[in-house]
């Protein structure tokens, strides 16, 4: 991964390259910021630049053996530690004491698939740990010390990239503290954190901070237009709405492609309610009752977000709306029916129905009552 592969962050990339070129490399650095801003890919690109044998114009060459190995996440002198837990992808013995090395294959897959732009929830979904919390445990701390005790195999620096150090257990942090205080020669720690306030202060105080900011709108819109074949106008709109977060922007694009059915259900519901057509509302109830409880939960969750956008449009506040495309057109049509006099009551009805669905209530009874109550709130005589 080269600096040129990182979206935006040009000033930070320039400064990182200068520290290497001028021989001012700190042994412990922490890259902080939202995952969608590029903290992990930037740390990997920095590691690649550190060990590149043919640096050119402030970037790694991408062609030397070191660069090729790091791009494949298989360099013998570049190691990764990340939160793990008992995963069905691990063997029975590995589940007893889960470690990063046990899940290095899915780690390489997700970094390659997303070019490093993924968050904690996406990682846990990848390794299928359900509702379990990932953590960096004592076994990984011991493994860090073991790996770094060896001499470099091929490159100048031994590099340990620790993703989400805020998930380190207290014992793990204490084990690493001594080596961070008294580092071995040519050993580099690159911490990548989304919540640095969760890291013990004794480690934070011994690291040099590399603070990222949201991706600038122009760089992000160019990336989105190129990757997803969007028009410049749509790409710029998504870039603004995502607030410079690439993960959020991709999520918006993917949700706009997959939420068509939910949007149609919401459109039908509100159009029938607005003209007080009870028979059609009951037909709507039959349709949504058939999609299953989990899909009903998703419908209500998405609908609550869309209704908020409708209200912002009605209040003539487009600068704080976060929707586009077909969803935006729907919001513009619905907005006249969502106003200050009924907005909170409508939200209450949606939240109440969703809560009852979650509690395994009878969907047809819940949804029939909900649809008729909604009609009273949006009906215009």
């Amino acid at each position: 991964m080269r600096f040129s592969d990182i979206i935006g962050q040009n000033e930070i990339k320039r400064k990182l390259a200068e520290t290497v070129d001028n021989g001012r490399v700190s042994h412990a650095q922490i890259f902080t910021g939202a995952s969608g801003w590029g903290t992990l890919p930037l740390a990997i690109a920095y590691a690649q630049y550190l060990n590149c044998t043919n640096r050119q114009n402030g970037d790694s060459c991408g062609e030397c053996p070191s660069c090729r190995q790091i791009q494949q996440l298989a360099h013998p002198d570049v190691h990764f530690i990340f939160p793990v837990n008992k995963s069905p992808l691990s063997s029975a013995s590995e589940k007893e004491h889960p470690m990063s090395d046990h899940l290095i294959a899915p780690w390489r897959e997700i970094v390659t698939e997303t070019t490093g732009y993924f968050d904690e929830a996406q990682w846990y979904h990848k390794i299928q740990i359900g509702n379990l919390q990932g953590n960096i445990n004592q076994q990984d701390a011991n493994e860090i010390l073991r790996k770094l005790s060896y001499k470099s195999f091929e490159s100048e620096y031994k590099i340990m990239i620790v993703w989400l150090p805020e998930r380190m257990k207290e014992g793990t942090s204490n084990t690493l503290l001594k080596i961070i205080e008294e580092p071995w020669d040519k050993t580099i720690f690159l911490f990548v954190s989304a919540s640095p306030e969760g890291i013990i202060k004794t480690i934070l105080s011994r690291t040099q901070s590399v603070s990222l900011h949201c991706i600038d709108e122009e760089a992000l819109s160019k990336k989105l237009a190129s990757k997803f074949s969007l028009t410049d106008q749509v790409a710029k709109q998504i870039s603004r709405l995502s607030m410079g977060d690439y993960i959020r922007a991709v999520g918006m694009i993917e949700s706009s492609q997959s939420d068509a059915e939910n949007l149609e259900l919401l459109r039908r519901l509100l159009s029938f309610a607005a003209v007080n057509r009870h028979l059609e509302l009951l037909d709507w109830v039959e349709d949504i009752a058939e999609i299953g409880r989990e899909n009903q939960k998703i419908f209500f969750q998405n609908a609550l977000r869309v209704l908020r956008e409708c209200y912002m449009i009605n209040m003539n506040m487009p600068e704080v709306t976060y929707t586009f495309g077909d969803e935006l057109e729907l919001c513009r049509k619905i907005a006249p029916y969502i106003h200050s006099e009924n907005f909170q009551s409508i939200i209450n009805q949606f939240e109440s129905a969703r809560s009852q669905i979650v509690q395994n209530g009878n969907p047809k009874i819940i949804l029939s009552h909900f649809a008729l109550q909604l009609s009273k709130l949006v009906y215009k005589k």
Side-chain angles (χ1 to χ4, degrees):
M1 196 171 294
R2 306 176 68 209
F3 284 139
S4 58
D5 297 320
I6 310 305
I7 309 168
Q9 311 295 353
N10 292 334
E11 182 63 16
I12 295 176
K13 290 187 289 190
R14 183 186 64 78
K15 289 182 178 179
L16 287 172
E18 285 182 353
T19 63
V20 179
D21 296 342
N22 296 330
R24 294 184 287 104
V25 179
S26 174
H27 75 279
Q29 303 178 47
I30 182 166
F31 292 68
T32 62
S35 296
W37 298 351
T39 46
L40 177 61
L42 184 58
I44 296 174
Y46 180 56
Q48 183 164 314
Y49 190 74
L50 276 165
N51 281 336
C52 178
T53 58
N54 188 26
R55 302 175 193 132
Q56 301 173 4
N57 301 318
D59 207 346
S60 55
C61 69
E63 297 295 333
C64 68
S66 176
C67 283
R68 290 182 180 275
Q69 288 176 313
I70 293 176
Q71 285 164 174
Q72 295 171 3
L73 307 179
H75 195 291
D77 296 318
V78 179
H79 310 285
F80 295 91
I81 296 293
F82 37 81
V84 295
N85 210 314
K86 296 179 181 180
S87 167
L89 304 181
S90 302
S91 67
S93 60
E94 291 173 344
K95 289 178 184 177
E96 294 301 316
H97 302 287
M99 294 172 56
S100 298
D101 278 357
H102 299 160
L103 294 166
I104 194 64
W107 172 261
R108 287 170 177 153
E109 288 175 6
I110 195 171
V111 173
T112 301
E113 292 163 356
T114 64
T115 61
Y117 289 86
F118 62 94
D119 59 21
E120 189 171 7
Q122 289 171 296
W123 169 237
Y124 294 161
H125 177 74
K126 180 72 174 179
I127 58 175
Q128 303 173 31
I129 63 173
N131 295 324
L132 295 176
Q133 174 69 62
N135 58 71
I136 299 173
N137 55 38
Q138 186 63 45
Q139 286 76 25
D140 263 329
N142 294 337
E143 187 66 8
I144 289 174
L145 296 181
R146 186 186 70 81
K147 289 179 177 179
L148 296 183
S149 66
Y150 298 141
K151 292 183 178 180
S152 298
F153 285 89
E154 298 179 5
S155 299
E156 182 178 3
Y157 293 98
K158 293 177 293 183
I159 302 172
M160 181 63 67
I161 298 178
V162 182
W163 186 61
L164 302 186
E166 54 267 37
R167 297 302 178 205
M168 290 193 297
K169 292 186 175 181
E170 184 176 356
T172 309
S173 299
N174 292 333
T175 298
L176 295 184
L177 184 57
K178 183 172 179 58
I179 189 175
I180 293 172
E181 290 177 325
E182 301 175 8
W184 293 318
D185 187 42
K186 299 293 184 178
T187 297
I188 308 294
F189 274 92
L190 302 180
F191 296 100
V192 179
S193 174
S195 303
E197 65 276 6
I199 305 171
I200 63 172
K201 292 182 180 179
T202 46
I203 285 184
L204 276 180
S205 64
R206 289 162 175 79
T207 59
Q208 178 177 296
S209 178
V210 180
S211 300
L212 275 69
H213 46 72
C214 62
I215 304 170
D216 68 271
E217 186 174 315
E218 182 178 359
L220 182 54
S221 62
K222 285 183 178 179
K223 177 66 176 182
L224 296 174
S226 172
K227 183 173 178 61
F228 297 99
S229 300
L230 304 176
T231 65
D232 289 343
Q233 181 180 2
V234 171
K236 287 179 180 178
Q237 188 175 20
I238 297 173
S239 178
R240 180 183 68 84
L241 298 179
S242 67
M243 295 182 288
D245 188 299
Y246 181 68
I247 296 174
R248 184 179 298 169
V250 172
M252 292 174 66
I253 294 169
E254 292 177 346
S255 66
S256 71
Q257 296 168 347
S258 63
D259 285 347
E261 293 182 3
N262 282 331
L263 282 176
E264 176 58 18
L265 278 172
L266 183 60
R267 185 198 66 76
R268 287 176 56 207
L269 169 65
L270 292 171
S271 62
F272 295 150
V275 293
N276 210 27
R277 292 168 64 173
H278 288 183
L279 291 178
E280 285 86 347
L281 282 173
L282 294 178
D283 288 339
W284 178 87
V285 169
E286 292 292 329
D287 290 341
I288 192 171
E290 292 180 359
I291 68 175
R293 194 176 303 276
E294 290 305 315
N295 287 326
Q296 290 161 10
K297 294 177 188 177
I298 294 171
F299 165 77
F300 277 101
Q301 181 176 334
N302 188 60
L304 285 165
R305 178 184 58 79
V306 172
L307 289 170
R308 182 261 180 200
E309 306 301 336
C310 294
Y311 183 64
M312 292 298 104
I313 292 173
N314 191 305
M315 293 294 100
N316 196 29
M317 300 172 67
E319 69 278 2
V320 291
T321 59
Y322 299 93
T323 187
F324 65 98
D326 292 342
E327 187 175 275
L328 177 60
E329 291 305 311
L330 174 65
C331 288
R332 286 172 175 164
K333 293 176 182 178
I334 296 174
Y337 301 99
I338 313 297
H339 46 77
S340 57
E341 294 180 6
N342 67 3
F343 175 65
Q344 191 56 56
S345 296
I346 290 173
I347 292 298
N348 290 343
Q349 286 296 326
F350 273 82
E351 289 181 337
S352 176
R354 180 181 180 278
S355 176
Q356 292 175 64
I357 292 292
V358 169
Q359 295 170 16
N360 296 324
N362 186 301
K364 288 189 178 181
I365 295 175
I366 295 168
L367 294 168
S368 297
H369 176 76
F370 158 74
L372 295 176
Q373 290 298 113
L374 183 66
S375 181
K376 295 178 182 179
L377 295 172
V378 300
Y379 174 53
K380 288 190 174 182
K381 299 180 180 179

